[in-house]
Amino acid sequence: MFHPLQRRPPASIYSYCARWEGRPGPAPALWSRFQWLLGWFQREPGKCPGPKSLLSLLASQCSYVTGQRVRRAQQIGQLYGNIYSERARWSLFSGLWRRFQARHASACKLMAALTGVFLWEEERIQEEELQRSAEEMKHMEEVSRLFHGSGGEHQKLGPKTHVDITATREEHPWEMVMDKKHFKLWRRPIEGTHLYQYRVFGTYTDVTPRQFFNVQLDTEYRKKWDSLVIKLDVIERDLTTGSEVIHWVTHFPYPMYSRDYVYVRRYNVDQENNLMVLVSRAVEHPGIPEDPEFVRVRTYESQMVIRPHKTFDENGFDYLLTYSDNPQTVFPRYCVSWMVSSGMPDFLEKLHTAALKAKRMEIEVQDYISAKPIENSGSEGKASMPGAERKNEDTHSPAQLEYA
């Protein structure tokens, strides 16, 4: 092995080696090589390579080294192809890619933003999130027995009642805001903010769980029954897990500006445990830049869990909806709390009415329960939705600087 030479400017090399002149003993190796190169240039100036020749030599050397690396990579790929199956190779490369992303997470996100690529590996809804929502539903079912007497009658609780519906002692307690016959609404403060997280637990007995679940997921049908929707499109879909990126623009009460949400959602239908789960949360997508006409909501989370009383196709089910977002409004905290507290029951009632209408009028709604995510053993599965519109105007409204 050759020892690497220390790289220094020519002036420094000359001054370093000049100090050895007149000293006893042999000259250093670096000075000997420098003298040989200088003498070669002086003896045969006609054969000295010009700048273009030096660049061509450097390019040929780089191409030679690159060619060797490429051939070596091809040989390794052929070797692994002969040893491992396609599924094993995909698992191996996925593990290496996740390890690379963990070491260079910030650089990968910056590169993805510059190239307009959405990182599904970082942003998709994980299995743990779905499982956590299912566990919260089981806990709520145990707590719901507190609101019914021994004969199964509803017990009315006064407002502002604090009831321990938390799954762990470390969480903030929930404060009851509304207590109706068929649903109850709680809230609790989000630590470090002025916002609340809301939770609704209710029951419907005149619609099937399948119809209610499908109506909530069907974006095209929601454009018809939700008058507040301005735009609702599926932007991209992860073929591996069935997760979808949604762009949702909705009206807000006057005088506030309309809000737009970019969020990823994923659902799971557990036939064995008779449970349906839908989880959504806000993400950043490079293909959906901010529109100056709307206010972008960057903090948003929603979990809907449905438990059929019998089966998916028979009337009757319980549901648990947990919701929080930051609408970025300048109104006081109590105003925002009032709007959300009144808006959530209103939305659920409109969703219920739309499900009943679809059932009675036999409106065709996409069946998400029967659909299964497409398995993809090749590259990371993702599909862009061609029907999604892109809007990027150059006009900017000065009123957006101070929005409600």
Side-chain angles (χ1 to χ4, degrees):
M1 296 294 294
F2 294 99
H3 297 285
L5 297 176
Q6 186 176 4
R7 297 181 180 179
R8 294 185 181 180
S12 300
I13 296 175
Y14 181 79
S15 60
Y16 168 74
C17 298
R19 290 197 299 266
W20 284 85
E21 291 185 356
R23 297 187 182 183
L30 180 62
W31 175 240
S32 302
R33 295 175 183 176
F34 180 75
Q35 283 183 326
W36 175 84
L37 181 61
L38 184 61
W40 182 66
F41 283 149
Q42 291 176 348
R43 286 196 307 270
E44 300 180 5
K47 297 182 179 180
C48 293
K52 294 183 179 180
S53 300
L54 289 175
L55 289 176
S56 63
L57 288 174
L58 179 61
S60 62
Q61 181 68 15
C62 291
S63 63
Y64 173 76
V65 174
T66 304
Q68 280 189 328
R69 298 289 177 86
V70 171
R71 285 192 296 271
R72 182 62 175 170
Q74 289 177 345
Q75 293 174 356
I76 293 176
Q78 291 176 357
L79 176 63
Y80 279 99
N82 296 330
I83 297 176
Y84 299 103
S85 63
E86 184 177 358
R87 183 179 296 246
R89 292 198 305 270
W90 170 241
S91 301
L92 175 63
F93 292 140
S94 297
L96 293 176
W97 173 247
R98 285 193 295 269
R99 192 173 299 177
F100 174 80
Q101 281 185 321
R103 292 184 178 180
H104 310 280
S106 58
C108 289
K109 290 183 179 180
L110 177 61
M111 184 173 60
L114 295 176
T115 56
V117 178
F118 183 72
L119 294 177
W120 278 109
E121 192 68 31
E122 298 287 336
E123 303 292 352
R124 66 164 57 102
I125 304 293
Q126 302 296 333
E127 290 287 345
E128 292 77 10
E129 300 178 63
L130 299 173
Q131 186 64 30
R132 192 182 310 120
S133 299
E135 292 296 332
E136 291 177 354
M137 180 62 175
K138 295 178 182 178
H139 178 73
M140 278 301 305
E141 289 174 336
E142 297 176 358
V143 175
S144 65
R145 299 188 182 94
L146 298 175
F147 308 112
H148 296 82
S150 59
E153 296 180 355
H154 172 75
Q155 292 182 347
K156 187 78 173 180
L157 298 179
K160 306 297 182 182
T161 301
H162 290 269
V163 180
D164 185 16
I165 64 171
T166 56
T168 60
R169 296 183 177 180
E170 292 78 11
E171 299 179 357
H172 286 287
W174 292 87
E175 172 190 345
M176 178 167 285
V177 179
M178 193 176 300
D179 183 16
K180 301 294 184 180
K181 184 177 181 180
H182 297 295
F183 77 90
K184 296 171 179 61
L185 173 64
W186 294 270
R187 71 177 183 183
R188 68 176 178 183
I190 300 176
E191 187 175 359
T193 69
H194 65 284
L195 304 171
Y196 286 105
Q197 185 181 27
Y198 299 87
R199 173 166 287 180
V200 180
F201 183 75
T203 301
Y204 288 119
T205 58
D206 55 353
V207 68
T208 66
R210 180 188 296 270
Q211 199 73 25
F212 188 82
F213 192 68
N214 289 335
V215 167
Q216 186 173 0
L217 286 170
D218 195 329
T219 56
E220 294 301 320
Y221 183 44
R222 182 170 179 178
K223 295 176 185 179
K224 300 177 182 178
W225 61 264
D226 191 352
S227 60
L228 298 179
V229 170
I230 301 175
K231 182 179 180 181
L232 185 61
D233 294 318
V234 179
I235 303 303
E236 191 171 335
R237 180 176 291 113
D238 178 26
L239 301 180
T240 304
T241 62
S243 299
E244 296 174 328
V245 176
I246 309 293
H247 185 208
W248 172 37
V249 185
T250 181
H251 290 290
F252 260 50
Y254 180 84
M256 293 189 293
Y257 291 94
S258 299
R259 263 60 174 173
D260 80 321
Y261 297 72
V262 179
Y263 63 93
V264 59
R265 74 178 185 183
R266 180 182 175 184
Y267 68 91
N268 180 54
V269 179
D270 191 346
Q271 302 276 356
E272 182 178 352
N273 294 316
N274 204 30
L275 205 66
M276 294 179 284
V277 182
L278 171 62
V279 177
S280 306
R281 55 175 164 77
V283 294
E284 294 288 340
H285 195 286
I288 311 296
E290 288 192 53
D291 194 316
E293 296 184 6
F294 313 118
V295 177
R296 174 63 56 85
V297 177
R298 302 186 180 278
T299 304
Y300 163 73
E301 290 184 359
S302 175
Q303 300 92 33
M304 169 70 84
V305 186
I306 297 175
R307 170 83 72 181
H309 291 168
K310 296 180 180 178
T311 65
F312 294 140
D313 297 309
E314 296 183 68
N315 288 349
F317 61 89
D318 298 329
Y319 67 90
L320 175 66
L321 173 61
T322 307
Y323 177 91
S324 65
D325 74 342
N326 183 6
Q328 303 189 51
T329 177
V330 296
F331 288 126
R333 181 179 186 179
Y334 66 89
C335 292
V336 178
S337 176
W338 173 81
M339 286 188 294
V340 177
S341 300
S342 59
M344 287 186 66
D346 181 63
F347 166 76
L348 289 170
E349 186 56 35
K350 288 196 298 183
L351 178 61
H352 174 229
T353 304
L356 285 175
K357 185 177 179 180
K359 177 183 178 181
R360 293 169 183 171
M361 301 182 64
E362 296 183 355
I363 299 176
E364 184 178 356
V365 179
Q366 183 176 349
D367 188 5
Y368 288 84
I369 298 180
S370 300
K372 295 181 180 179
I374 302 174
E375 296 294 337
N376 187 12
S377 58
S379 59
E380 181 175 318
K382 57 184 178 179
S384 298
M385 310 307 296
E389 298 176 0
R390 299 291 191 270
K391 184 176 181 181
N392 188 13
E393 299 178 357
D394 296 333
T395 58
H396 295 272
S397 173
Q400 282 297 109
L401 298 178
E402 295 181 4
Y403 47 79

